[in-house]
Amino acid sequence: MNLLLDEVARATARLADAGAASPRADAEELAAAVHGVPRGELHTVPDAAFDARFWEYVARREAGEPLQHITGRAFFRYLELKVGPGVFIPRPETEVMVGWALETLRDMDVRDPLVVDLGTGSGAIALSIAREAPRARVHAVEKDPTAFVHATRNVEELDERGRVRLHLDDFGTALAELNGTVDLVVSNPPYIPMTEWEYVPKDVRDHDPAAALWGGGDDGLNAIRVVERTARRLLRPGGYVAVEHSDLQGNAVYWVFAEENGWRDVRNRRDLTNRDRFVTARLGTD
């Protein structure tokens, strides 16, 4: 074992004692970020190249600072995104919803599908769709100026084909010029009710932006209701919407997309842990 791997083992024990959910992975990611190598190549770092900043990073993680804020990066599907304070850190659960969106776009068989991402944050959803559905044109809306800065930086670095267009706007009123023309609307809006404050992990509520967490209303679904109205306005007949929610809100969100408002084929879909995670619906053609 070389020096760095030995230090990673020590850091793993410290992070485990501090209550980190994935102490070994966190320690390896911190080491990789400090030393500029992939996690799988930590063993290649010579002892003489060990960087003592590693232990500064470990101390910050011990204190509860999110791993992604320390390293300045987050991995989402095939992307490495720049993140930091003021922007929501993308989660693996959302990758499943993006996978559904990509399958739906393929099944539509539209030459240049038009997609809208409401509340883009870091740009994770918009950029993933633009990369994996290369003919898609994606409009990404974000109303928070700080998050918009992060999204802009990620789009500039990762949108090689120029398929993503960013809009600094409220997603309740944005993109009126696209009304009735969009093939797919996708959103991971805020949805946590304030009544659940004490149950939200401390590192989440202390570091993720409040505007990306708390959905409004007693049930936390006010932002999702805005997504429903906006999707109904933007979509063409037969277009689809996907919206993420908590694992306890599936039934309530299902009924947000009411048949009397024109929605058809409403379904609650599950994430990799087999928990309700997002609702999909199709705008009727009748």
Side-chain angles (χ1 to χ4, degrees):
M1 181 178 290
N2 67 10
L3 175 60
L4 179 56
L5 292 182
D6 188 46
E7 298 297 84
V8 165
R10 291 175 54 205
T12 298
R14 279 179 51 172
L15 293 175
D17 289 343
S22 51
R24 179 73 188 189
D26 286 5
E28 290 179 352
E29 177 61 19
L30 293 172
V34 169
H35 294 90
V37 298
R39 279 177 57 188
E41 296 180 13
L42 293 175
H43 65 283
T44 67
V45 177
D47 290 355
F50 176 76
D51 190 331
R53 288 181 303 155
F54 172 64
W55 286 109
E56 297 175 18
Y57 282 24
V58 170
R60 290 167 63 184
R61 185 71 187 109
E62 275 185 298
E65 187 173 349
L67 175 71
Q68 296 86 350
H69 284 187
I70 301 169
T71 64
R73 64 188 186 185
F75 298 97
F76 187 86
R77 292 183 68 88
Y78 303 104
L79 301 174
E80 181 179 320
L81 300 155
K82 297 290 197 312
V83 296
V87 68
F88 183 76
I89 298 168
R91 266 60 170 189
E93 294 88 348
T94 307
E95 296 185 28
V96 179
M97 182 172 67
V98 172
W100 175 89
L102 291 163
E103 290 177 4
T104 299
L105 289 173
R106 284 192 289 270
D107 291 343
M108 281 182 186
D109 197 24
V110 175
R111 178 179 173 82
D112 296 296
L114 184 58
V115 180
V116 170
D117 173 19
L118 297 174
T120 196
S122 65
I125 292 174
L127 285 164
S128 289
I129 290 174
R131 173 167 290 193
E132 297 180 60
R135 295 196 64 88
R137 297 162 293 147
V138 186
H139 290 262
V141 181
E142 177 55 57
K143 68 178 180 180
D144 182 82
T146 302
F148 189 81
V149 170
H150 287 279
T152 300
R153 183 170 55 168
N154 285 320
V155 167
E156 289 174 349
E157 291 187 7
L158 299 173
D159 183 26
E160 298 171 354
R161 299 183 181 90
R163 308 295 287 183
V164 177
R165 182 177 175 186
L166 289 170
H167 304 265
L168 182 61
D169 205 344
D170 187 293
F171 59 65
T173 56
L175 304 175
E177 69 277 12
L178 299 181
N179 285 354
T181 67
V182 175
D183 296 296
L184 173 68
V185 171
V186 62
S187 182
N188 179 17
Y191 49 71
I192 304 174
M194 285 299 297
T195 53
E196 294 186 13
W197 166 269
E198 62 184 299
Y199 304 110
V200 176
K202 189 174 185 299
D203 61 341
V204 173
R205 67 176 190 240
D206 287 354
H207 295 279
D208 274 316
L213 297 177
W214 315 109
D218 292 340
D219 56 6
L221 300 184
N222 280 2
I224 289 178
R225 294 185 179 97
V226 174
V227 170
E228 185 273 330
R229 292 193 295 271
T230 301
R232 187 160 22 111
R233 168 172 62 83
L234 290 173
L235 288 171
R236 62 165 174 81
Y240 282 84
V241 62
V243 59
E244 185 171 322
H245 53 73
S246 83
D247 58 355
L248 301 176
Q249 294 172 319
N251 188 58
V253 175
Y254 178 96
W255 291 108
V256 169
F257 291 85
E259 185 173 350
E260 56 264 32
N261 287 334
W263 296 108
R264 304 290 184 267
D265 303 331
V266 183
R267 287 191 58 185
N268 214 317
R269 300 180 185 268
R270 299 194 166 195
D271 61 21
L272 294 176
T273 65
N274 204 33
R275 298 177 179 177
D276 287 348
R277 182 57 57 190
F278 63 103
V279 161
T280 64
R282 177 179 58 86
L283 191 64
T285 57
D286 50 303

